[in-house]
Amino acid sequence: MSVKAKKMTVRSKRERRFTAEAIKKDFRKNHTIYFLLIPLFIYYILFCYGPMYGAVIAFKRYSPALGIMGSEWVGFRYFEQFLTSDYFWKIMRNTILIALYSIIFCFPAPILLALLLNEVRVTWYKKTVQTLTYLPHFISMVIICGLIRNFVASDGLIGQICKLLGGTPENLLMKQEYFRAIYIISDIWQSIGWNSIIFLAALAGVDQELYDAAVVDGAGRLKQTLHVTLPAIMPTIIVMLILRVGGILSVNGEKVILLYNELIFDTADVIGSFTYRKGLVEQNYSYSAAVGLLMSVVNFFFVTMANKISKKAGGYNLW
């Protein structure tokens, strides 16, 4: 072993020893806080990691009567069926398009709202806007989708506005070309306030002396935002973007199921709604599990690649 390798080995051992000692010291000092984490660990073990064992049915012809272990092993049969089916390209196209539109339009919206709220100096007005934008997040998805259906119906709010402007009212959810726009606009309405919280927290941590220095240099509010605020919260933006890209195939299937119908399947059917129909409606559990497992692997690939690209391009990464 070379001298350089020996030095690196010794340094690695010292770092591990220092880390272990630091953890032990912190545990002795804050042991009560660590004990509070026990219910959290139990929750994740029981409801997140424990059920992962059931993913094995993606490789079996699962029968509830035979159980997971007793069901016939079929290997990659259901993966091949999905990848070669007529549904594959259609639902992949719909899922990716909705996810990309969501990144393009929904992701910047809470950042913009946080930046605007950060400039508001009237406290009561700022709190009122925050409350009104947070509310849709706490409303049940069923109620939200019911409101959307009422708004876009031929005799709904949008239909009446269209009629006043001289147009012909029609149910927009019966038109394929309008579904993605309805989904994205309603998604912005639902999530803009709640998602802005993390960016407002990041803005609260920006050093105020940087703004004072910018004012001395003659920068106005816009230049302060571009050259001080945005660079300061850029690590938060990048991390949230990586997580968003990692879930690019995880379009909200529940919302799609509550909004779509047979007339708009060609543009509305996504992976989430497809697995719901296959798994619960048609009771083809193995096929549905195979599709879900495949999409999870693809999502993991996306988040890994986004993390690497971000690390090389700007030095920001999750790991």
Side-chain angles (χ1 to χ4, degrees):
M1 183 182 293
S2 64
V3 177
K4 185 177 180 180
K6 289 182 179 179
K7 288 182 178 180
M8 291 181 65
T9 303
V10 172
R11 184 184 304 171
S12 177
K13 290 181 179 179
R14 288 178 179 175
E15 289 177 352
R16 287 199 297 268
R17 190 182 304 115
F18 175 78
T19 303
E21 291 175 356
I23 292 174
K24 290 179 181 178
K25 183 178 179 181
D26 188 67
F27 181 80
R28 287 194 296 268
K29 183 179 179 181
N30 303 301
H31 60 278
T32 54
I33 298 177
Y34 281 96
F35 287 138
L36 292 174
L37 292 174
I38 293 177
L40 182 64
F41 285 125
I42 294 174
Y43 169 82
Y44 274 98
I45 291 171
L46 291 179
F47 298 103
C48 296
Y49 291 100
M52 289 176 68
Y53 162 72
V56 73
I57 69 173
F59 305 94
K60 294 192 170 190
R61 183 185 293 168
Y62 175 67
S63 171
L66 298 175
I68 295 177
M69 298 305 297
S71 298
E72 178 189 358
W73 183 272
V74 295
F76 292 95
R77 176 187 299 177
Y78 296 110
F79 295 92
E80 294 175 0
Q81 286 182 8
F82 174 63
L83 293 174
T84 56
S85 68
D86 296 333
Y87 295 104
F88 175 71
W89 290 111
K90 181 178 71 174
I91 67 172
M92 284 295 292
R93 180 197 65 199
N94 295 339
T95 304
I96 291 175
L97 281 176
I98 291 176
L100 288 177
Y101 292 155
S102 179
I103 292 174
I104 294 172
F105 297 105
C106 299
F107 181 75
I111 301 174
L112 180 60
L113 177 63
L115 292 173
L116 293 174
L117 289 174
N118 191 53
E119 299 297 323
V120 176
R121 296 294 177 262
V122 182
T123 304
W124 68 266
Y125 180 76
K126 182 176 181 179
K127 290 183 177 179
T128 301
V129 172
Q130 286 179 289
T131 302
L132 292 175
T133 53
Y134 293 168
L135 279 177
H137 176 79
F138 298 99
I139 301 176
S140 166
M141 183 63 71
V142 176
I143 297 175
I144 287 288
C145 292
L147 291 173
I148 295 171
R149 284 183 171 276
N150 289 332
F151 288 156
V152 302
S154 57
D155 57 348
L157 176 63
I158 297 177
Q160 294 302 315
I161 294 174
C162 181
K163 186 177 181 179
L164 289 173
L165 296 176
T168 303
E170 56 184 353
N171 191 336
L172 301 183
L173 279 178
M174 296 296 176
K175 300 289 184 178
Q176 294 184 9
E177 59 271 23
Y178 296 137
F179 177 79
R180 292 174 188 143
I182 293 171
Y183 184 97
I184 295 301
I185 293 171
S186 62
D187 201 39
I188 294 174
W189 170 55
Q190 283 180 263
S191 61
I192 186 171
W194 180 257
N195 291 341
S196 68
I197 293 176
I198 191 168
F199 298 110
L200 286 170
L203 288 170
V206 180
D207 190 353
Q208 295 300 312
E209 292 183 0
L210 296 175
Y211 292 108
D212 296 337
V215 171
V216 172
D217 291 338
R221 299 304 301 177
L222 179 59
K223 288 188 176 181
Q224 290 178 39
T225 300
L226 294 176
H227 299 290
V228 177
T229 306
L230 284 177
I233 66 172
M234 190 56 66
T236 303
I237 295 175
I238 295 298
V239 169
M240 298 304 295
L241 181 59
I242 292 173
L243 295 175
R244 193 67 172 259
V245 171
I248 195 169
L249 297 182
S250 301
V251 174
N252 192 342
E254 178 186 357
K255 183 177 179 181
V256 173
I257 292 167
L258 292 170
L259 289 177
Y260 76 167
N261 56 73
E262 294 181 357
L263 294 177
I264 59 174
F265 268 8
D266 285 344
T267 57
D269 199 17
V270 296
I271 293 171
S273 58
F274 179 74
T275 54
Y276 164 78
R277 289 201 314 276
K278 287 294 182 180
L280 296 181
V281 178
E282 300 179 13
Q283 297 183 356
N284 195 343
Y285 305 113
S286 295
Y287 190 98
S288 179
V291 175
L293 182 59
L294 180 62
M295 295 306 106
S296 297
V297 173
V298 174
N299 277 336
F300 178 74
F301 170 77
F302 275 124
V303 74
T304 303
M305 293 305 298
N307 186 70
K308 287 185 178 181
I309 293 171
S310 175
K311 185 177 182 179
K312 288 184 179 180
Y316 304 117
N317 58 292
L318 286 174
W319 65 84

